[in-house]
Amino acid sequence: MAGRSMLKTILAYLPALLGERGFAILSIIVFTRMFSPEEYGRYALAISIVLLVDAFVVQWLRLSYLRFYAAAQKSGTLKQLNATSFSMGAVIMISASAVSFFGIQIMDTDPAMKSILIASIFYFAAGIPFKIIAAGARASEKALVYGMMDVGRAFLGFLIAFLLVTFAQFDEEALLYGPAVGFILASIFGGVYLKPDISRDYSPILAKDMMSYGIPLISVFLLTQIMSITDRICLDFFIGSAAVGLYAVGYNLGNHSMMMIYNAINLGVFPMLVKTFENADKETIQKSFTEKVEIIMAITLPASFGLWAAAPNIAYVMTGEDFALEVAGIIPFITFAGLFTGMKLFLFDQVFHLYKKSKQQTLTLIPPVVANVVLNIILIPMMGIQGAIIATLISSVIGLGFSAVMSRAIFTFPMPYMKIGKILFAAIIMWLSLNVFSFSHDIIGLIMMVMVGGVVYGSIAFALNVLNMRRIIFDHFKK
């Protein structure tokens, strides 16, 4: 797999990720001005609980579908894969929703929290068919269809939520009802366009194989989500939902921005890695991983340093006045936590996926999860939100370290240290240049920071020939 081909695939998915993330940021800009930190905090808790349930019952099915797609396509059994996946998805949707609804009814909580938890069931159920159909678009490398589905559901989700709040007088539960409707409409579009064969060709044998691969991953997804939700639960318990709201906004702007970048890389590259793994020799697979390391570093390192430098500008432009000051201090630390977590999830952990070593991947999560829980319990009562930030950063470093060591015991590939050094140098110079100048805390100042940072980093990367940039550009103009 050539590096240029990999980069081209990433760029094909980038507009979708930018569009989807753009509406997510627009939601923060709008809704942090419509809701208080306490109200936004209840929403953040609800969405964290949804993601925890999703990690327990859905993510294994989505990843199994992706993992088995190439083999099913090769053997002509895509009908069986589709029928089996959608059948299991339907069972999961109905049973998990029913259990959740019953559990909420017997909970002893305030009416506002109960109302938003009911909305979260609708959001959860609507997302299941969307995730399977979107996985089909991704596995078949239909980047345009995937992009239209993802951007469409994000746009519709934002629009419907805004209309519910503005005209129907909904409270924060609109932030879940709107995206749920977006999931449904995007699933209809994807189903009509892709026409996945949802026949009665259900295969118990294939279902067993998918569960054998995917169910052991549940512990991985659960531990990952526990590490993500512990800070919010502890903040709510020790301080209150307002602290959850402030922290969640800063976390979303920092961590989710990094995850957007990693996802843009992974959406196109992981299916290509699976195909390479299924059909190529070890040396070719090693080369593919090395190329991916360079691409990841060339994109995520400057993004991390850029978010660090622009944190105050981002906070004041993108959040309401009740959020901005606190969010500005959260973004830099959470951004680097996202950098380390992404390296674990989208680089070293993929070795476990390809070699189907789910148990080993689970072991890499236990130390950071334990550290995260313990540190949150100790630090939040002492330091408040700052304690949650420190716990998240430390646990992300621990997780990366364990994943790197244990994955390389299964499969090793050359690390391009010299190339990473060039990228880091360019990113640091960019960060220094952004701190030399004074930029206003408004949209103009933020745009200027992006332009200056892009020019400085791009110029140095070109001079150092990062990603073989000079040759790619020269070859392009020779045509």
Side-chain angles (χ1 to χ4, degrees):
M1 175 169 33
R4 189 178 301 187
S5 175
M6 187 183 288
L7 188 59
K8 183 179 179 181
T9 305
I10 292 168
L11 292 174
Y13 282 94
L14 189 59
L17 268 294
L18 290 176
E20 184 275 336
R21 190 59 201 161
F23 285 111
I25 291 173
L26 183 60
S27 296
I28 292 175
I29 294 172
V30 172
F31 294 127
T32 56
R33 289 168 168 83
M34 300 178 77
F35 295 109
S36 68
E38 183 178 2
E39 291 168 330
Y40 199 91
R42 284 195 292 266
Y43 157 73
L45 278 173
I47 201 71
S48 295
I49 293 170
V50 170
L51 293 175
L52 185 66
V53 176
D54 188 82
F56 184 60
V57 297
V58 177
Q59 289 303 319
W60 72 268
L61 177 60
R62 180 188 62 82
L63 193 60
S64 295
Y65 184 91
L66 278 171
R67 181 63 183 85
F68 281 78
Y69 189 93
Q73 190 177 44
K74 186 177 181 180
S75 61
T77 57
L78 273 179
K79 288 184 179 181
Q80 287 187 342
L81 180 65
N82 286 329
T84 304
S85 299
F86 279 102
S87 298
M88 290 192 290
V91 172
I92 290 169
M93 179 176 65
I94 294 169
S95 56
S97 298
V99 171
S100 299
F101 182 80
F102 177 76
I104 292 169
Q105 295 306 314
I106 63 175
M107 282 179 62
D108 183 19
T109 186
D110 64 274
M113 194 66 206
K114 184 170 287 191
S115 176
I116 197 168
L117 288 174
I118 293 293
S120 71
I121 296 176
F122 187 43
Y123 176 87
F124 163 79
I128 293 176
F130 172 86
K131 289 170 185 174
I132 298 174
I133 296 171
R138 176 183 164 191
S140 58
E141 299 181 14
K142 291 182 169 61
L144 179 60
V145 178
Y146 179 90
M148 292 174 69
M149 287 182 65
D150 211 29
V151 175
R153 67 95 185 167
F155 165 70
L156 292 169
F158 166 78
L159 178 62
I160 294 168
F162 179 79
L163 294 174
L164 288 174
V165 174
T166 304
F167 297 106
Q169 306 304 310
F170 273 66
D171 293 321
E172 60 270 20
E173 64 266 20
L175 303 183
L176 291 168
Y177 283 125
V181 176
F183 275 136
I184 294 170
L185 296 176
S187 297
I188 293 171
F189 165 78
V192 169
Y193 195 96
L194 293 172
K195 296 181 176 62
D197 192 339
I198 312 175
S199 63
R200 296 181 180 180
D201 201 12
Y202 174 83
S203 171
I205 296 174
L206 180 58
K208 183 179 178 181
D209 290 341
M210 292 177 71
M211 287 189 286
S212 296
Y213 168 74
I215 287 179
L217 292 172
I218 290 176
S219 57
V220 174
F221 299 133
L222 274 179
L223 287 170
T224 301
Q225 198 55 40
I226 288 170
M227 190 160 67
S228 177
I229 196 176
T230 300
D231 43 17
R232 291 159 174 78
I233 292 175
C234 288
L235 284 169
D236 184 58
F237 181 80
F238 290 115
I239 303 177
S241 59
V244 179
L246 292 168
Y247 178 79
V249 172
Y251 188 96
N252 289 346
L253 289 172
N255 180 274
H256 289 189
S257 295
M258 294 306 301
M259 291 302 107
M260 174 198 73
I261 296 169
Y262 278 112
N263 273 308
I265 297 170
N266 194 59
L267 279 170
V269 172
F270 184 65
M272 295 175 70
L273 281 176
V274 172
K275 284 186 177 180
T276 303
F277 183 81
E278 295 284 353
N279 300 299
D281 56 30
K282 182 178 179 180
E283 184 178 348
T284 303
I285 299 169
Q286 288 176 321
K287 183 181 178 183
S288 297
F289 267 96
T290 302
E291 290 170 350
K292 186 176 182 182
V293 172
E294 186 180 2
I295 291 173
I296 285 176
M297 293 293 98
I299 299 171
T300 59
L301 277 177
S304 301
F305 281 90
L307 285 167
W308 178 13
N313 305 69
I314 293 170
Y316 281 95
V317 169
M318 296 186 177
T319 67
E321 60 181 14
D322 293 337
F323 292 80
L325 183 62
E326 194 74 48
V327 167
I330 295 172
I331 291 174
F333 299 97
I334 296 300
T335 294
F336 279 93
L339 173 70
F340 302 137
T341 300
M343 289 173 64
K344 169 182 162 47
L345 293 175
F346 297 107
L347 181 61
F348 296 109
D349 278 11
Q350 291 194 346
V351 173
F352 303 119
H353 292 311
L354 292 173
Y355 283 88
K356 301 180 182 179
K357 301 290 185 180
S358 304
K359 292 180 181 179
Q360 286 88 331
Q361 186 179 2
T362 303
L363 292 175
T364 69
L365 282 166
I366 294 174
V369 169
V370 172
N372 185 264
V373 172
V374 172
L375 288 171
N376 272 300
I377 292 173
I378 293 173
L379 296 177
I380 288 177
M382 297 168 52
M383 305 173 66
I385 292 176
Q386 198 67 30
I389 295 170
I390 294 171
T392 299
L393 185 58
I394 292 175
S395 59
S396 67
V397 173
I398 293 172
L400 173 59
F402 274 88
S403 181
V405 171
M406 294 184 67
S407 68
R408 291 180 76 81
I410 299 170
F411 174 76
T412 60
F413 53 90
M415 292 293 289
Y417 293 111
M418 184 65 70
K419 295 178 179 179
I420 294 173
K422 292 179 180 179
I423 295 165
L424 181 61
F425 174 77
I428 291 173
I429 297 300
M430 179 200 71
W431 179 83
L432 291 172
S433 70
L434 292 175
N435 282 277
V436 167
F437 302 103
S438 178
F439 298 92
S440 58
H441 290 174
D442 54 26
I443 187 65
I444 301 300
L446 184 57
I447 292 172
M448 290 298 297
M449 290 193 81
V450 173
M451 292 175 63
V452 171
V455 169
V456 172
Y457 176 75
S459 299
I460 299 173
F462 179 82
L464 297 176
N465 201 28
V466 170
L467 293 179
N468 203 20
M469 189 182 297
R470 287 203 299 266
R471 181 176 177 182
I472 292 174
I473 293 173
F474 290 152
D475 286 351
H476 175 76
F477 283 106
K478 284 179 180 178
K479 293 180 181 180

